[in-house]
Amino acid sequence: MDIFLQIFFAILTLTALYALVTVGFTLIYSVTKVLHVAHGVVTLLGAYIFLTLVNAAVPAPAAAAAAWACCGMSGWLMNATVFERLRRRGRVSPVGALIASVALLVMGSNLLQLAFGPQTRTLAGFSPALRFRVGGAIINAVELGTILTTAAVVVTLGLLMKFSRIGQALRAVADNATVAEVVGINARRMRNFAFSLGSSMAGIAGVLFALRFGLEPNQSVLIGLRGFFRAVIGGVGSIPGAIVGNIIIETAENVGAFYFNSAFKEIFSFLAIFGFLIFRPQGLFGPRTR
């Protein structure tokens, strides 16, 4: 029984970590219709900024705030300098935007390697000292903090989208940008804000990522693809679907690793993805296609 409770907490922790990436990716897509796979670069950028500042003796809260702000700004810059220019020229088709995002992913990964080096980097001397026993399982402070942080961010985003004026404007642009412009909403500004907000969520995920794992520049590709695949399972554009997609993938990986071999756990996630692509390509919460 204890081992299953431990697996449950492992699933919950990783779901919370990658949910921030996937929800940010989904928010960006729902408003801009851009499949932003370069979201992985933004996540890893936040992780590297946090790690570098903390290793330079900057207090962790200040380092986390700097990572959050830099990621939000980088998302805004990506949209303003790349995707909005393509949009003005009438070249922002789904395929064209995806190609541009893949180019940003490759370029960003190389820039991270140039700036921080190819070697694995970790927080110097960091180890989560606090551990809590829940039933027969143990969860450390970083894992608990990841779960609570994700819950707070997702709830705050939901309240923002539902009750604030800017949230209503974002939903209007996501529904129909042309009609939103007619009623006086600046669609370009909302797209920039969606990129900035989604990327700032990636920055928070990056901070949590740095607290848990060692960092390598090429991880940005894997993070971007993981966020994309989880969004596909939940239904691209659906924020609840982004969370459920993470639960499905992490359950498949962790349960498969327990019963078979942990070295091949990603095979089980790809099997789940292929199953959804074959039997429900629109995802769990995506609109039905005819």
Side-chain angles (χ1 to χ4, degrees):
M1 184 65 183
D2 292 350
I3 187 65
F4 291 109
L5 188 59
Q6 195 69 58
I7 292 173
F8 169 76
F9 281 120
I11 292 171
L12 188 61
T13 302
L14 290 171
T15 294
L17 178 59
Y18 281 102
L20 287 173
V21 180
T22 311
V23 169
F25 175 92
T26 298
L27 174 66
I28 290 171
Y29 175 79
S30 65
V31 177
T32 69
K33 302 302 181 284
V34 172
L35 291 170
H36 188 46
V37 293
H39 205 55
V41 168
V42 179
T43 304
L44 205 57
L45 173 65
Y48 269 116
I49 291 173
F50 176 76
L51 180 145
T52 302
L53 291 177
V54 169
N55 284 347
V58 175
W68 175 79
C70 289
C71 287
M73 180 61 69
S74 69
W76 181 87
L77 284 172
M78 284 183 183
N79 185 59
T81 60
V82 177
F83 298 109
E84 286 301 319
R85 288 178 180 271
L86 291 174
R87 198 179 300 274
R88 285 197 297 270
R89 296 179 182 180
R91 299 175 183 174
V92 73
S93 67
V95 174
L98 179 60
I99 292 172
S101 189
V102 170
L104 286 172
L105 175 63
V106 174
M107 182 179 69
S109 297
N110 283 277
L111 288 175
L112 287 176
Q113 182 166 330
L114 181 65
F116 300 103
Q119 69 277 8
T120 301
R121 300 187 62 184
T122 59
L123 288 170
F126 173 78
S127 177
L130 290 177
R131 288 177 170 82
F132 308 93
R133 181 172 290 277
V134 181
I138 295 175
I139 182 170
N140 64 41
V142 171
E143 294 167 339
L144 181 61
T146 298
I147 295 168
L148 295 178
T149 299
T150 297
V153 170
V154 171
V155 169
T156 301
L157 177 65
L159 294 174
L160 174 73
M161 295 295 290
K162 187 171 184 178
F163 296 110
S164 71
R165 290 178 62 88
I166 196 165
Q168 293 170 358
L170 286 170
R171 287 191 286 119
V173 174
D175 186 58
N176 192 314
T178 303
V179 174
E181 290 273 12
V182 170
V183 299
I185 297 172
N186 189 322
R188 179 182 60 82
R189 187 175 297 170
M190 289 300 102
R191 289 191 294 266
N192 281 332
F193 182 76
F195 255 89
S196 183
L197 181 59
S199 297
S200 66
M201 294 180 67
I204 298 172
V207 171
L208 298 173
F209 201 91
L211 289 170
R212 186 178 175 89
F213 302 109
L215 304 181
E216 297 177 6
N218 290 332
Q219 286 173 323
S220 58
V221 177
L222 182 60
I223 294 171
L225 290 178
R226 279 177 172 267
F228 173 65
F229 289 146
R230 285 158 166 74
V232 167
I233 287 179
V236 179
S238 169
I239 291 177
I243 298 171
V244 174
N246 276 278
I247 294 173
I248 291 172
I249 290 294
E250 293 304 333
T251 300
E253 288 188 354
N254 284 275
V255 173
F258 176 72
Y259 282 106
F260 295 95
N261 191 324
S262 61
F264 304 105
K265 70 176 187 176
E266 291 184 357
I267 290 177
F268 302 102
S269 64
F270 283 111
L271 288 175
I273 292 163
F274 288 141
F276 273 90
L277 289 176
I278 292 171
F279 297 106
R280 194 175 176 85
Q282 75 273 24
L284 288 173
F285 294 86
R288 290 188 176 273
T289 56
R290 295 183 182 272

